[in-house]
Structures are given as C-alpha cells and as structure tokens.
Amino acid sequence: MSRYYRYRLPPWARKWIIIIERCTLPLLIFQLIRTLLFPTTLDVIILAIFVLLFVAFYQEWI
C-alpha cells in the first residue's frame, strides 16, 4: 500500500488542504489566547484539536 500523497488528489481538494493549512496557525493562536483568558472544557478540547491538526500539517501527515 502506498503512502498518502497530497499531490495525487484532485486540484479542488489540494486547494482546500492548502487553505486549511494556512488558517490553522492563526486559529490556533486565537484559541490559545481564548483558552488562557476564559478556560472552559470546550475551549481546551478545541485547542487540542487545533494543536493536533497543526502538528499533522507540520509533520506532513496530511
């Protein structure tokens, strides 16, 4: 089985992956500030999701 390769995707899917990848860091920073100011369980869960998504893009798992 071959490894996931983002350039084999259709152009519209690659475009959405690039858009999501570019928006992840600003959303992560915003969520971190929000979690530090008003910590709730939902904010911590959303922050964890953004951190995992950012790491996945950084390590090129997605």
Side-chain angles (χ1 to χ4, degrees):
M1 204 183 316
S2 66
R3 186 175 167 240
Y4 172 77
Y5 190 59
R6 81 166 56 175
Y7 298 106
R8 289 184 185 169
L9 295 173
W12 61 269
R14 275 187 302 199
K15 182 179 176 184
W16 279 106
I17 287 176
I18 291 170
I19 291 171
I20 293 170
E21 186 175 9
R22 303 280 170 134
C23 294
T24 304
L25 184 60
L27 289 173
L28 175 67
I29 293 170
F30 172 77
Q31 190 62 34
L32 177 65
I33 293 169
R34 179 182 160 100
T35 303
L36 290 175
L37 295 176
F38 309 111
T40 64
T41 305
L42 182 62
D43 286 328
V44 173
I45 292 170
I46 293 173
L47 180 64
I49 291 170
F50 279 132
V51 167
L52 292 174
L53 188 63
F54 180 75
V55 169
F57 279 125
Y58 185 75
Q59 295 293 325
E60 295 181 1
W61 294 336
I62 297 178

